[in-house]
């Protein structure tokens, strides 16, 4: 249940109600708001005086629910807005991992040359094997910071576990929560206490309901700037790494108020079909694309098979612009 | 292994080789051809005189392999060609099932008004429950035949089991093998003995390798006109009926020589996102779309939730034309 | 809805009701019975005179529903009964496919030596690749018939498509419908018109609801002797061929009135763990086990990796008897 | 690659080799050991003098590989040993979550009365929804500590994120890493620096290879006491909460040297079939069972549907003892 409080409502009553229904208090669209479990369907009469309006939902998809807002949330990424009535699609690209200054300098040059504004690159890499490359860690953030200032780019980078969540929140322009970390309540709660945009990647075994509930952790803590990223789910098929769940994206677009970003690179796991999938994603009218591009994919330290080289990305970008044009969308 | 025989080769030797390697004999791209299990990697020397050339493959994806042809197969649908160098995308639509003359007359009117040429509608419906509507059967084919002649449309309709496979082969312009029937060897073998186009739907639990092997049943029997249709796979997600596997479609596009058709209607299972998914499919540059459209979806006897109404389809069709234009593809 | 008719009820009224609710008529537990879609929740008053009792179900799991019978169905396999109050578990084994007289003679010798009574072996093999061994066909049935008479064994063998369903129904003591054929309405309907036991294997992508509905096809046609066989479902895991769904088996045991057989061989796809899985299955208290055993697994023409050799099976059988003893079950 | 160093080997050379191959150094079965990525297949000749023996593996399943040890690891749980040649199965039970002193006192009484020695109960609950009961946190640990001392029981309890990992490591007798946290590198690394037993639950979307690699994180850091727990994987089936992957358990039993525990409660998600699944698990001969039991399941604050009541557990325990007896296993 979401409850909008009257302005100037009695703080003592608010506290009692909060306690009784075990609610979170937040500012939601400028309003003093309480949110509690959807199990609660009614409010005792004694609180009538402090309540402006309330709405009950059938399950714990509440603040993210399109029925709460009747419109999409608009989120400012620093270089432009997505969602709302913007018809904007953010094209976000860069290498899987920061590997060296030289590498991300080349990435930054490409981004600038295409008129784009944001660089993606991970520095804390969640790796399944302890024996794989684990990322440059804080050194990587230093590299990214230099690029950020030199090229005037925004940086999206990933938090993989709670041990460095504070550092990523302080550093990133857009915080990315990885697919393996999206159930991590400690990360989610920390990200609810900033107002930076947070892009949550759907776990590859995560149901849409659970995915939206991860967003609810952040929204209920008071951060309204949450973006959902579908990046492929694990199915029985093994010829491809994962399967990009566009049906799931269609569901999220229909039933939630959050912007949707699609990541075709991790979904397919191979570069060959990423351009086709990126075009498909653009034609769906989503709010962003996240694409892995590396100056020299064959020598990438992680995800070598799936990163596009620069020339392939340039060709792809031309066709993305054409599709955007045909459908009256703007690329930012 | 695929073996192209010399013209005028000794029939006795051909027979002995066929027996020894347990081969199928067929005409493939105009050549007298044997094909046998990929387990066979070498041919005894005594057959050298009858062999023009041969190629061995790592697995039983052989006649369908892009490495066999180095180009896509071109297939004539009667109203236009797909595949090869055509850049054509066939837009195929119509109701889930023939329900009445009135219903499919309305469908035919819409198809003609949009300049399209083919009607989809099932008459033998594979139903999970014995208590559900099972289709009009032969009566439905009679209805479709009237429409075919009155409106000059081609008909694609589905075989659900071997008991009526001969009837469908005789009747349809394009034979559709349903997702639940695609492992049926009896159907596949019968369809290998016609030269009508055969569209095979991927089973919802079917691996890509198995899907292509179903096509191999038809190709190895001598029918070169096989089309693969991805229509959604079953995953852990239940908010949507299935998940349209565009990663799988990208794989098939890259590694096989068969045209690819996408069916967003069965994948999502709900009408709301079908236009977005159809646009995505078009932007992938596939060879065809299969979309369920019903004059009155709310009263459809099967798949009521997922069929588009006529106005929605008309809007969708406008945007499909724009995307096709942007990507230099032609809608047929 | 299931309707039990009064004996001597007016045939004209029965016919009208059947037509109105689109019902199947059958003898169920000795009673003249109609069954129709669970969508029907009420019967018009005019039919009151012909109705003894009726029950409505929430979905199309009806004749198979434990709430219909309040007890398990008992099925006579010819060599003993399973289900009901028998506490019997049928141990059914044999090779994947009939390959030669010599091979199945060895199998029969083993079966007899252990005091068992039934041989499993396929003769029409559903193969994903057209280039793989397809079974001996009718020749294999001839072999099996000799064994049947010489050793006094019952034979369970598989129908793979509708082209030979009549032959299998005529030949087999227990008819097996394969996992890839279980949606085949033509096979299901034919099997509803015999009273031989029919073992349906769950498709590897088949939901439990759909699986039970396949049984409903047979039950609603009048054959009360249906057995459900769980043989592994397809998941994201690829180290094993499939995953034996014991949770699904637990569901079927709780909510249906049909005997349950488990097939650990196809589930795992490798011989190494089959004994452990067979012991687990026995300890669940199911009605039967189906295990692939071959005199010489390394030379098997199909499923070579998963068949147990005779010595391994003998050891397994000893431990199965101990578990059965501990849990007061009888092996037949 | 795993390298056993000579005792008294030159520390400078060890350091150089470690750096060159990016290795972890640990004591493994009493030997001074380096382990590095399986990508490394050879060691430069200059290090020959410091190396006693080495072994290369095809992938990053190394310290956990049965081919490394040729026998199962034996792990001391404080109240008995599992693995190795013990033939012991630990029966671990208790409520999903600590809810009150009264509740876990009842659990402790039951455990003692059955002659068992360990209590499971979570205090930091990973919840998908922010609006659900999140556990008692540190207060719950205080409750558990009282029980531990009063009843002389060992405690297994769960870490859900890195924010409290140090507290759990300090508190628990056996540390449980939850299914949603098992990719968390920070948790895994912390748990590698204790020598307490660590039970890792397989993520519901986790491949066996990845699951074992999570264990490698702990083993490579020097903690040899790792236990794998299969607790159900997510499949397309929705009638049950998950599917207990006994095929996966068979694989782990065959190919790893780690003890295996099965958790039927979370797999099925409903109490009705848990006894059958527990019996099946026992008959597989695994090293432990983890079963949710609650004094009053209907009032449980989490997982209410799947917890057994005390009487049901007592009956189950009787049959577990019989199966153990039949198969010469000991329950601890």
């Amino acid at each position: 249940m979401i409850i909008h409080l009257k302005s100037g409502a009695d703080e003592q009553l608010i506290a009692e109600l909060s306690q009784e229904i075990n609610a979170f208090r937040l500012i939601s669209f400028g309003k003093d708001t309480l949110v509690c479990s959807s199990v609660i369907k009614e409010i005792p009469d004694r609180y009538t005086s402090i309540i402006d309006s309330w709405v009950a939902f059938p399950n714990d998809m509440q603040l993210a629910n399109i029925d709460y807002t009747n419109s999409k949330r608009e989120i400012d990424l620093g270089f432009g807005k997505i969602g709302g009535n913007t018809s904007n699609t953010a094209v976000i690209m860069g290498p899987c991992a920061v590997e060296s200054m030289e590498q991300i300098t080349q990435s930054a040059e490409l981004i600038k040359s295409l008129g784009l504004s944001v660089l993606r690159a991970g520095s804390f890499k969640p790796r399944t094997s302890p024996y794989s490359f684990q990322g440059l860690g804080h050194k990587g953030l230093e590299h990214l910071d230099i690029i950020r200032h030199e090229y005037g780019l925004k940086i999206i980078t990933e938090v993989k576990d709670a041990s460095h969540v504070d550092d990523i929140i302080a550093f990133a322009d857009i915080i990315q929560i990885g697919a393996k970390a999206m159930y991590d309540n400690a990360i989610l709660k920390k990200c609810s206490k900033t107002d930076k945009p947070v892009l949550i990647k759907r776990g590859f075994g995560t149901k849409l309901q659970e995915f939206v509930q991860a967003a609810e952790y952040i929204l209920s803590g008071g951060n309204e700037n949450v973006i959902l990223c579908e990046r492929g789910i694990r199915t029985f098929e093994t010829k491809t790494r994962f399967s990009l769940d566009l049906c799931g994206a269609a569901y999220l677009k229909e039933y939630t108020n959050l912007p949707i970003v699609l990541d075709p690179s991790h979904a397919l796991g191979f570069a060959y079909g990423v351009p086709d999938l990126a075009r498909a994603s653009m034609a769906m009218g989503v709010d962003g694309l996240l694409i892995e591009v590396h100056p020299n994919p064959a020598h990438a330290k992680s995800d070598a098979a799936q990163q596009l080289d620069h020339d392939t990305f340039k060709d792809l970008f031309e066709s993305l612009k054409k599709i955007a044009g045909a459908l009256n969308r703007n690329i930012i």
Side-chain angles (χ1 to χ4, degrees), chain A:
Chain A
M1 179 183 283
I2 301 174
I3 302 163
H4 291 142
L5 300 167
K6 284 195 177 141
S7 74
D10 182 82
E11 281 294 330
Q12 177 63 27
L13 270 177
I14 295 174
E16 285 171 30
L17 174 56
S18 292
Q19 168 110 24
E20 186 167 340
I21 61 175
N22 200 18
F24 295 83
R25 186 169 180 186
L26 66 148
I27 303 299
S28 176
F29 294 95
K31 293 178 198 157
D32 195 357
T33 302
L34 296 181
V35 57
C36 67
S37 170
S38 59
V39 171
I40 312 286
K41 303 288 183 202
E42 285 185 17
I43 314 169
D45 285 346
R46 59 186 288 254
Y47 298 113
T48 305
S49 65
I50 60 170
I51 293 173
D52 184 49
S53 66
W54 59 270
V55 55
F57 289 97
N59 58 40
D60 280 348
M61 197 168 110
Q62 300 190 100
L63 294 164
N65 204 313
I66 189 75
D67 289 339
Y68 170 49
T69 53
N70 290 317
S71 65
K72 288 277 161 184
R73 287 170 186 268
E74 186 180 283
I75 295 183
D76 190 340
L77 299 178
F79 58 91
K81 293 175 177 177
I82 57 172
N85 298 313
T86 63
S87 296
N88 288 344
T89 299
V91 173
I92 306 168
M93 63 85 149
C96 173
V98 190
E99 297 172 4
S100 69
M101 270 309 298
E102 188 197 349
Q103 171 224 27
I104 53 166
T105 300
Q106 289 178 273
S107 299
E109 292 281 352
L110 178 62
I111 291 166
K112 291 301 282 187
S113 76
L114 297 174
L116 294 172
S117 311
V118 57
L119 169 67
R120 60 142 289 150
S123 200
F124 297 90
K125 301 305 299 174
R127 301 310 296 271
T128 311
S129 167
Y131 311 119
S132 302
F133 171 64
Q134 309 273 319
L136 297 188
H138 289 92
K139 187 75 193 166
L141 298 189
E142 289 170 25
H143 290 349
L144 288 172
D145 202 39
I146 294 170
I147 291 293
R148 169 157 57 185
H149 289 105
E150 217 157 284
Y151 290 87
L153 297 177
K154 298 297 176 186
I155 304 289
I156 174 168
T157 196
E158 179 175 2
V159 50
K160 75 167 176 173
D161 62 55
S163 66
H164 54 267
V165 60
D166 292 331
D167 297 333
I168 294 291
I169 290 173
F171 174 79
D173 298 299
I174 303 169
I175 301 154
Q176 177 178 323
I177 300 177
K180 292 173 183 159
M182 61 140 272
Y183 290 108
D184 189 314
N185 300 356
I187 291 176
L188 295 170
K189 284 176 182 169
K190 289 269 191 175
C191 288
S192 78
K193 297 308 175 195
T194 177
D195 61 0
K196 288 186 177 179
V198 179
L199 179 144
I200 316 176
K201 286 196 155 189
R202 180 184 182 189
F204 43 71
T206 299
K207 294 199 175 197
L208 294 165
Q209 172 85 20
E210 297 170 351
F211 186 26
V212 176
Q213 283 171 340
E216 292 279 337
Y217 265 96
I218 301 176
L219 295 166
S220 64
N223 184 350
E224 303 193 80
N225 300 308
V226 182
I227 302 161
L228 300 176
C229 178
E230 155 62 27
R231 45 72 75 204
I233 57 173
R234 186 163 270 175
T235 75
F236 59 81
E237 183 55 58
T238 53
K239 294 284 189 195
T240 63
R241 194 173 176 195
F242 296 99
S243 181
L244 188 64
D245 185 16
L246 292 195
C247 287
Y251 173 87
L252 295 171
K253 210 171 159 222
E254 182 77 6
Y255 290 109
T256 78
N257 56 34
L258 303 174
I260 315 295
V261 167
L262 295 175
D263 171 353
S265 304
H266 282 87
L268 185 59
F270 299 98
Y272 68 78
V274 168
D276 267 345
L277 292 168
R279 282 186 280 266
S281 301
M282 176 61 81
M284 272 197 74
V286 292
D287 305 286
L289 302 181
L290 198 58
I291 301 174
E292 285 195 346
V293 182
H294 191 282
N296 190 347
H299 290 81
K301 292 191 176 174
S302 55
D303 286 351
Q306 79 198 24
Q307 305 199 52
L308 299 185
D309 61 34
H310 284 195
D311 285 346
T312 303
F313 183 77
K314 280 188 259 185
D315 288 348
L316 166 60
F317 191 62
E318 286 309 303
S319 60
L320 292 178
K321 286 194 286 190
K322 287 180 190 163
I323 296 169
L327 298 173
N328 295 318
R329 293 194 68 83
N330 321 299
I331 290 176
I332 63 168

